[in-house]
């Protein structure tokens, strides 16, 4: 029942999209109304990731976590969204809802940080929903700190506030 990590392949991407939708519904259901989480559908999220992966696979890295051959989580990282060449962006860590608290997220985070360091980035950043207390505690336990930057985004048609976190890699 150990978790193994490996680089994602094109064959994984649709399943990653469907997992991402299940993960966000579970993670955000106490923050956002159901109608905000009903769209995109799991199929639409699979299409989104298939398209995104086709454009970003050369400079981004997706790692999948499997337990007994079944996809249970993924991480996604790439260059900083503010074009700092010394900084990498942890775009996502998502898990099957039943995997929360079982160490998969931490394993994916440790792997992502090591990969960012191997790319020569000196610092990692991420964005997290301000009201997602569970995720914020997870990252803070992992050594991440708020930068003070905030931004407004939308989930569905609903506005959400995001906080930027950072962590040194060297």
């Amino acid at each position: 029942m150990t978790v193994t990590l490996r680089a994602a392949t094109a064959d994984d991407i649709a399943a990653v999209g469907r997992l991402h939708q299940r993960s966000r519904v579970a993670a955000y259901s106490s923050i956002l109304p159901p109608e905000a989480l009903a769209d995109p559908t799991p199929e639409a999220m699979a299409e989104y990731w298939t398209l995104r992966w086709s454009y970003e696979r050369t400079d981004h890295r997706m790692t999948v976590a499997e337990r007994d051959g079944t996809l249970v989580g993924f991480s996604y990282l790439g260059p900083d969204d503010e074009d700092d060449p010394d900084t990498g962006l942890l775009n996502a860590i998502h898990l099957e809802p039943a995997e929360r608290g079982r160490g998969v997220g931490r394993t994916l985070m440790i792997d992502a940080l090591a990969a960012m360091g191997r790319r020569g980035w000196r610092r990692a950043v991420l964005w997290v929903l301000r009201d997602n207390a569970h995720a914020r505690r997870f990252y803070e336990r992992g050594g991440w700190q708020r930068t003070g930057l905030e931004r407004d985004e939308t989930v569905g048609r609903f506005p959400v506030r995001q906080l930027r976190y950072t962590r040194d890699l060297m």
Side-chain angles (χ1 to χ4, degrees), residues 3-38:
V3 170
T4 58
L5 303 182
R6 64 173 175 78
T9 68
D11 292 339
D12 297 313
I13 303 305
V16 161
R18 291 187 296 272
L19 181 148
H20 184 185
Q21 176 61 6
R22 291 188 299 275
S23 174
R24 66 193 292 272
V25 167
Y28 304 159
S29 64
S30 65
I31 302 168
L32 294 166
E35 57 270 24
L37 301 173

Short mmCIF file of all heavy atoms in Angstrom, two decimals, residues 3-38:
data_model
loop_
_atom_site.label_atom_id
_atom_site.label_comp_id
_atom_site.label_asym_id
_atom_site.label_seq_id
_atom_site.Cartn_x
_atom_site.Cartn_y
_atom_site.Cartn_z
N VAL A 3 2.91 4.43 -1.61
CA VAL A 3 2.68 5.36 -2.70
C VAL A 3 3.95 5.48 -3.50
O VAL A 3 5.04 5.59 -2.94
CB VAL A 3 2.25 6.73 -2.16
CG1 VAL A 3 2.24 7.78 -3.24
CG2 VAL A 3 0.90 6.64 -1.49
N THR A 4 3.83 5.43 -4.82
CA THR A 4 4.96 5.64 -5.70
C THR A 4 4.70 6.88 -6.54
O THR A 4 3.55 7.18 -6.88
CB THR A 4 5.21 4.43 -6.62
OG1 THR A 4 4.03 4.17 -7.38
CG2 THR A 4 5.56 3.20 -5.81
N LEU A 5 5.77 7.58 -6.83
CA LEU A 5 5.70 8.76 -7.68
C LEU A 5 6.38 8.47 -9.00
O LEU A 5 7.36 7.73 -9.05
CB LEU A 5 6.40 9.95 -7.01
CG LEU A 5 5.93 10.38 -5.64
CD1 LEU A 5 6.72 11.61 -5.18
CD2 LEU A 5 4.45 10.65 -5.61
N ARG A 6 5.86 9.08 -10.05
CA ARG A 6 6.49 8.97 -11.36
C ARG A 6 6.08 10.18 -12.19
O ARG A 6 5.07 10.84 -11.90
CB ARG A 6 6.14 7.67 -12.06
CG ARG A 6 4.67 7.52 -12.39
CD ARG A 6 4.39 6.28 -13.25
NE ARG A 6 2.99 6.09 -13.45
CZ ARG A 6 2.23 6.77 -14.31
NH1 ARG A 6 2.76 7.71 -15.06
NH2 ARG A 6 0.94 6.52 -14.44
N ALA A 7 6.84 10.44 -13.24
CA ALA A 7 6.50 11.51 -14.17
C ALA A 7 5.21 11.13 -14.89
O ALA A 7 5.02 9.98 -15.29
CB ALA A 7 7.63 11.71 -15.17
N ALA A 8 4.35 12.11 -15.05
CA ALA A 8 3.10 11.87 -15.78
C ALA A 8 3.41 11.65 -17.26
O ALA A 8 4.39 12.16 -17.80
CB ALA A 8 2.17 13.07 -15.62
N THR A 9 2.56 10.86 -17.88
CA THR A 9 2.62 10.67 -19.33
C THR A 9 1.31 11.17 -19.93
O THR A 9 0.34 11.45 -19.21
CB THR A 9 2.80 9.18 -19.68
OG1 THR A 9 1.60 8.47 -19.32
CG2 THR A 9 4.00 8.57 -18.98
N ALA A 10 1.27 11.26 -21.23
CA ALA A 10 0.06 11.71 -21.92
C ALA A 10 -1.14 10.83 -21.55
O ALA A 10 -2.27 11.32 -21.48
CB ALA A 10 0.28 11.73 -23.43
N ASP A 11 -0.89 9.56 -21.28
CA ASP A 11 -1.98 8.64 -20.92
C ASP A 11 -2.59 8.96 -19.57
O ASP A 11 -3.70 8.52 -19.28
CB ASP A 11 -1.48 7.19 -20.92
CG ASP A 11 -1.13 6.69 -22.30
OD1 ASP A 11 -1.63 7.27 -23.30
OD2 ASP A 11 -0.35 5.73 -22.40
N ASP A 12 -1.91 9.72 -18.73
CA ASP A 12 -2.40 10.06 -17.39
C ASP A 12 -3.28 11.30 -17.36
O ASP A 12 -4.03 11.51 -16.40
CB ASP A 12 -1.22 10.34 -16.44
CG ASP A 12 -0.33 9.14 -16.22
OD1 ASP A 12 -0.87 8.04 -15.96
OD2 ASP A 12 0.90 9.32 -16.28
N ILE A 13 -3.17 12.16 -18.35
CA ILE A 13 -3.67 13.52 -18.23
C ILE A 13 -5.19 13.60 -18.04
O ILE A 13 -5.67 14.36 -17.21
CB ILE A 13 -3.20 14.39 -19.42
CG1 ILE A 13 -1.67 14.37 -19.51
CG2 ILE A 13 -3.71 15.81 -19.28
CD1 ILE A 13 -0.94 14.78 -18.25
N ALA A 14 -5.96 12.84 -18.76
CA ALA A 14 -7.42 12.89 -18.60
C ALA A 14 -7.81 12.45 -17.19
O ALA A 14 -8.67 13.07 -16.54
CB ALA A 14 -8.11 12.03 -19.65
N ALA A 15 -7.17 11.41 -16.66
CA ALA A 15 -7.46 10.94 -15.31
C ALA A 15 -7.04 12.00 -14.28
O ALA A 15 -7.72 12.18 -13.26
CB ALA A 15 -6.75 9.62 -15.03
N VAL A 16 -5.95 12.71 -14.55
CA VAL A 16 -5.53 13.80 -13.67
C VAL A 16 -6.61 14.87 -13.61
O VAL A 16 -6.95 15.38 -12.54
CB VAL A 16 -4.18 14.39 -14.14
CG1 VAL A 16 -3.94 15.78 -13.56
CG2 VAL A 16 -3.03 13.45 -13.78
N GLY A 17 -7.18 15.22 -14.76
CA GLY A 17 -8.24 16.23 -14.79
C GLY A 17 -9.45 15.81 -13.97
O GLY A 17 -10.00 16.62 -13.21
N ARG A 18 -9.84 14.57 -14.09
CA ARG A 18 -11.01 14.09 -13.33
C ARG A 18 -10.69 14.07 -11.83
O ARG A 18 -11.52 14.46 -11.00
CB ARG A 18 -11.44 12.71 -13.83
CG ARG A 18 -12.06 12.78 -15.24
CD ARG A 18 -12.65 11.45 -15.70
NE ARG A 18 -11.66 10.40 -15.84
CZ ARG A 18 -10.96 10.16 -16.95
NH1 ARG A 18 -11.13 10.91 -18.04
NH2 ARG A 18 -10.09 9.18 -17.00
N LEU A 19 -9.48 13.65 -11.46
CA LEU A 19 -9.07 13.68 -10.06
C LEU A 19 -9.05 15.12 -9.55
O LEU A 19 -9.50 15.39 -8.43
CB LEU A 19 -7.69 13.04 -9.91
CG LEU A 19 -7.12 12.98 -8.50
CD1 LEU A 19 -6.24 11.75 -8.33
CD2 LEU A 19 -6.34 14.22 -8.13
N HIS A 20 -8.54 16.03 -10.35
CA HIS A 20 -8.49 17.44 -9.96
C HIS A 20 -9.89 17.95 -9.61
O HIS A 20 -10.08 18.63 -8.60
CB HIS A 20 -7.87 18.26 -11.09
CG HIS A 20 -7.67 19.70 -10.77
ND1 HIS A 20 -7.23 20.60 -11.70
CD2 HIS A 20 -7.86 20.43 -9.64
CE1 HIS A 20 -7.14 21.80 -11.16
NE2 HIS A 20 -7.53 21.72 -9.91
N GLN A 21 -10.88 17.61 -10.42
CA GLN A 21 -12.24 18.06 -10.14
C GLN A 21 -12.75 17.48 -8.81
O GLN A 21 -13.33 18.19 -8.00
CB GLN A 21 -13.18 17.70 -11.28
CG GLN A 21 -14.63 18.06 -11.05
CD GLN A 21 -14.88 19.55 -10.83
OE1 GLN A 21 -14.00 20.38 -10.94
NE2 GLN A 21 -16.10 19.88 -10.47
N ARG A 22 -12.53 16.19 -8.58
CA ARG A 22 -12.96 15.59 -7.30
C ARG A 22 -12.26 16.25 -6.12
O ARG A 22 -12.87 16.53 -5.08
CB ARG A 22 -12.69 14.08 -7.30
CG ARG A 22 -13.57 13.29 -8.25
CD ARG A 22 -13.40 11.79 -8.09
NE ARG A 22 -12.06 11.30 -8.36
CZ ARG A 22 -11.58 10.99 -9.57
NH1 ARG A 22 -12.34 11.15 -10.65
NH2 ARG A 22 -10.36 10.51 -9.70
N SER A 23 -10.98 16.52 -6.28
CA SER A 23 -10.19 17.14 -5.22
C SER A 23 -10.69 18.54 -4.90
O SER A 23 -10.87 18.90 -3.74
CB SER A 23 -8.72 17.18 -5.64
OG SER A 23 -7.94 17.89 -4.71
N ARG A 24 -10.93 19.33 -5.92
CA ARG A 24 -11.35 20.72 -5.66
C ARG A 24 -12.75 20.76 -5.05
O ARG A 24 -13.01 21.60 -4.18
CB ARG A 24 -11.21 21.60 -6.90
CG ARG A 24 -12.09 21.26 -8.04
CD ARG A 24 -11.69 21.95 -9.35
NE ARG A 24 -11.85 23.37 -9.36
CZ ARG A 24 -12.98 23.98 -9.71
NH1 ARG A 24 -14.04 23.29 -10.06
NH2 ARG A 24 -13.04 25.29 -9.71
N VAL A 25 -13.64 19.86 -5.45
CA VAL A 25 -14.97 19.82 -4.84
C VAL A 25 -14.83 19.51 -3.35
O VAL A 25 -15.44 20.17 -2.50
CB VAL A 25 -15.88 18.80 -5.55
CG1 VAL A 25 -17.14 18.53 -4.74
CG2 VAL A 25 -16.25 19.31 -6.94
N ALA A 26 -14.02 18.52 -3.02
CA ALA A 26 -13.83 18.15 -1.60
C ALA A 26 -13.16 19.28 -0.82
O ALA A 26 -13.56 19.60 0.30
CB ALA A 26 -13.02 16.87 -1.49
N ALA A 27 -12.15 19.89 -1.40
CA ALA A 27 -11.38 20.92 -0.69
C ALA A 27 -12.14 22.23 -0.54
O ALA A 27 -11.97 22.93 0.46
CB ALA A 27 -10.05 21.16 -1.42
N TYR A 28 -12.97 22.57 -1.51
CA TYR A 28 -13.61 23.87 -1.51
C TYR A 28 -15.08 23.84 -1.11
O TYR A 28 -15.73 24.88 -1.07
CB TYR A 28 -13.50 24.53 -2.89
CG TYR A 28 -12.11 24.68 -3.42
CD1 TYR A 28 -11.89 24.84 -4.78
CD2 TYR A 28 -10.98 24.67 -2.60
CE1 TYR A 28 -10.61 24.99 -5.30
CE2 TYR A 28 -9.70 24.81 -3.10
CZ TYR A 28 -9.52 24.97 -4.46
OH TYR A 28 -8.26 25.11 -4.97
N SER A 29 -15.61 22.68 -0.79
CA SER A 29 -17.05 22.59 -0.52
C SER A 29 -17.48 23.37 0.71
O SER A 29 -18.63 23.81 0.79
CB SER A 29 -17.49 21.13 -0.39
OG SER A 29 -16.85 20.53 0.72
N SER A 30 -16.57 23.60 1.65
CA SER A 30 -16.93 24.41 2.82
C SER A 30 -16.67 25.90 2.58
O SER A 30 -17.02 26.72 3.42
CB SER A 30 -16.14 23.93 4.04
OG SER A 30 -14.76 24.16 3.85
N ILE A 31 -16.09 26.23 1.44
CA ILE A 31 -15.73 27.61 1.13
C ILE A 31 -16.68 28.22 0.10
O ILE A 31 -17.02 29.40 0.18
CB ILE A 31 -14.28 27.68 0.59
CG1 ILE A 31 -13.30 27.10 1.61
CG2 ILE A 31 -13.90 29.08 0.19
CD1 ILE A 31 -11.91 26.87 1.06
N LEU A 32 -17.07 27.41 -0.87
CA LEU A 32 -17.84 27.90 -2.01
C LEU A 32 -19.17 27.18 -2.12
O LEU A 32 -19.29 26.02 -1.71
CB LEU A 32 -17.05 27.69 -3.30
CG LEU A 32 -15.77 28.51 -3.42
CD1 LEU A 32 -14.90 27.98 -4.53
CD2 LEU A 32 -16.11 29.97 -3.66
N PRO A 33 -20.17 27.82 -2.71
CA PRO A 33 -21.46 27.17 -2.90
C PRO A 33 -21.36 26.05 -3.94
O PRO A 33 -20.48 26.07 -4.81
CB PRO A 33 -22.38 28.29 -3.38
CG PRO A 33 -21.48 29.34 -3.91
CD PRO A 33 -20.17 29.21 -3.19
N PRO A 34 -22.25 25.06 -3.88
CA PRO A 34 -22.20 23.92 -4.81
C PRO A 34 -22.19 24.33 -6.28
O PRO A 34 -21.50 23.70 -7.08
CB PRO A 34 -23.46 23.13 -4.47
CG PRO A 34 -23.80 23.51 -3.07
CD PRO A 34 -23.33 24.93 -2.91
N GLU A 35 -22.91 25.38 -6.63
CA GLU A 35 -22.94 25.78 -8.04
C GLU A 35 -21.58 26.26 -8.54
O GLU A 35 -21.29 26.17 -9.73
CB GLU A 35 -24.03 26.81 -8.31
CG GLU A 35 -23.94 28.07 -7.48
CD GLU A 35 -24.70 28.02 -6.17
OE1 GLU A 35 -24.97 26.92 -5.63
OE2 GLU A 35 -25.02 29.10 -5.65
N ALA A 36 -20.73 26.73 -7.65
CA ALA A 36 -19.38 27.14 -8.04
C ALA A 36 -18.51 25.93 -8.37
O ALA A 36 -17.55 26.04 -9.13
CB ALA A 36 -18.72 27.95 -6.94
N LEU A 37 -18.85 24.79 -7.79
CA LEU A 37 -18.03 23.59 -7.96
C LEU A 37 -18.61 22.59 -8.96
O LEU A 37 -17.96 21.60 -9.29
CB LEU A 37 -17.84 22.92 -6.59
CG LEU A 37 -17.15 23.83 -5.56
CD1 LEU A 37 -17.16 23.17 -4.19
CD2 LEU A 37 -15.75 24.18 -6.00
N ALA A 38 -19.81 22.86 -9.44
CA ALA A 38 -20.44 21.95 -10.39
C ALA A 38 -19.81 22.06 -11.78
O ALA A 38 -19.88 21.12 -12.57
CB ALA A 38 -21.93 22.23 -10.47
#
